[in-house]
Amino acid sequence: MKVWLIYSLIISTIKPTMISKTLRTIIMGPPGSGKGTISSRIVKDFRLKHLSSGDLLRSQIHNKSKEGLQAKKYIDSGQLVPDNVMVQLILNELQKLKHDSWLLDGFPRTVPQAEALHTKEPADVVINLNVPFEIIMSRLTSRWTHAPSGRIYNTDFNPPKVQGIDDVTGEELIQREDDKPETVKKRLETYQAHTEPVLNYYRNLGILEEFTGKYSNEIWPKVHKFLSTKTEPLQYTVYK
């Protein structure tokens, strides 16, 4: 009886510590996979701070930090920001989150970036959204935009009342260059070529978790269930 009581006391003190430990997470997925949607849900239901590489880059450029000014020179000349500059940008920000759980979005994009990140600020888990390319193609190429307002329609699930016409102004809708089939196909092929080695890197480390599905509402319960084994959720938001 005494042994069981002591065991129970040990478990009661250890379990909360284990489930509430700091969780470092990376989310990956091709454009149009619902990465932004899943990220916002993770942030809402778990104690994770969202860190977007794109937002961070824009912020650093705006604030004229050393790395931000370096990055701006490359961007202004139409070049990719070098790995070492992007790595330092991210590491500087993660240093501020030493005692927080975080969700890193949009980084790393190359194996050298992944290696540098793992050396300094290793992730506990990498989530990959595995959405079939044909679904993404259909989703993105079905988007039409009212350029002056930025209103977006989708011919599959949010069509305008009159085909090709904005509901509010009656003006013509356009298909952005990024949403044209040939552009979407090229973006997906580029993503796959650059990202597959990164996924393999994390797969070999044993921290890659892949979630397959066609839609965010199909994938989300799986992601939530998995993360709930790593850290205690604040809630479970159901989306229909």
Side-chain angles (χ1 to χ4, degrees):
M1 186 66 180
K2 288 182 179 179
V3 172
W4 173 251
L5 179 60
I6 293 171
Y7 175 77
S8 299
L9 288 171
I10 292 173
I11 292 299
S12 67
T13 55
I14 292 178
K15 189 176 179 182
T17 304
M18 291 174 64
I19 198 70
S20 62
K21 72 166 199 154
T22 301
L23 181 65
R24 300 169 161 196
T25 310
I26 298 169
I27 187 167
M28 301 184 70
S33 63
K35 191 154 57 77
T37 299
I38 297 296
S39 292
S40 65
R41 294 179 182 184
I42 291 173
V43 170
K44 181 180 178 182
D45 281 12
F46 295 87
R47 296 181 181 88
L48 272 69
K49 294 186 181 295
H50 187 214
L51 183 61
S52 162
S53 62
D55 291 345
L56 175 59
L57 188 56
R58 285 185 287 272
S59 172
Q60 293 289 328
I61 291 173
H62 177 75
N63 293 333
K64 297 182 179 179
S65 70
K66 177 184 174 183
E67 287 78 14
L69 291 175
Q70 284 181 306
K72 188 175 186 300
K73 287 192 298 184
Y74 292 100
I75 293 171
D76 288 347
S77 62
Q79 301 178 62
L80 291 175
V81 179
D83 285 342
N84 64 312
V85 177
M86 281 304 303
V87 166
Q88 199 55 54
L89 273 170
I90 297 296
L91 292 180
N92 287 349
E93 199 64 23
L94 291 180
Q95 282 293 317
K96 304 173 189 175
L97 303 177
K98 276 290 187 184
H99 304 293
D100 297 299
S101 292
W102 45 256
L103 176 67
L104 186 52
D105 178 2
F107 184 93
R109 294 181 183 271
T110 67
V111 172
Q113 288 179 1
E115 291 173 338
L117 178 66
H118 191 70
T119 299
K120 298 290 186 180
E121 300 285 350
D124 298 305
V125 65
V126 178
I127 291 171
N128 182 46
L129 305 182
N130 183 24
V131 179
F133 275 14
E134 60 268 23
I135 296 295
I136 295 175
M137 282 285 294
S138 174
R139 185 181 300 168
L140 295 184
T141 58
S142 297
R143 293 198 303 199
W144 290 79
T145 305
H146 177 244
S149 68
R151 272 186 294 278
I152 296 176
Y153 299 87
N154 190 293
T155 55
D156 289 338
F157 57 83
N158 179 37
K161 295 174 182 176
V162 178
Q163 185 176 352
I165 301 298
D166 178 51
D167 289 349
V168 179
T169 65
E171 297 172 341
E172 287 189 8
L173 301 175
I174 64 165
Q175 189 170 44
R176 297 185 314 166
E177 195 64 36
D178 280 355
D179 295 334
K180 291 181 178 178
E182 58 274 17
T183 306
V184 172
K185 185 173 183 291
K186 185 175 181 181
R187 286 171 65 198
L188 291 174
E189 289 172 347
T190 300
Y191 175 86
Q192 187 173 35
H194 286 87
T195 308
E196 193 58 39
V198 179
L199 294 177
N200 284 334
Y201 173 77
Y202 286 122
R203 192 175 286 117
N204 291 334
L205 286 176
I207 60 173
L208 180 70
E209 294 289 332
E210 300 197 73
F211 299 90
T212 301
K214 294 181 179 180
Y215 307 104
S216 295
N217 287 353
E218 178 187 356
I219 293 175
W220 169 239
K222 304 173 188 176
V223 173
H224 192 284
K225 181 179 180 181
F226 169 72
L227 286 179
S228 295
T229 67
K230 301 296 182 181
T231 188
E232 187 175 356
L234 298 171
Q235 60 197 10
Y236 175 45
T237 306
V238 178
Y239 299 88
K240 298 180 180 179

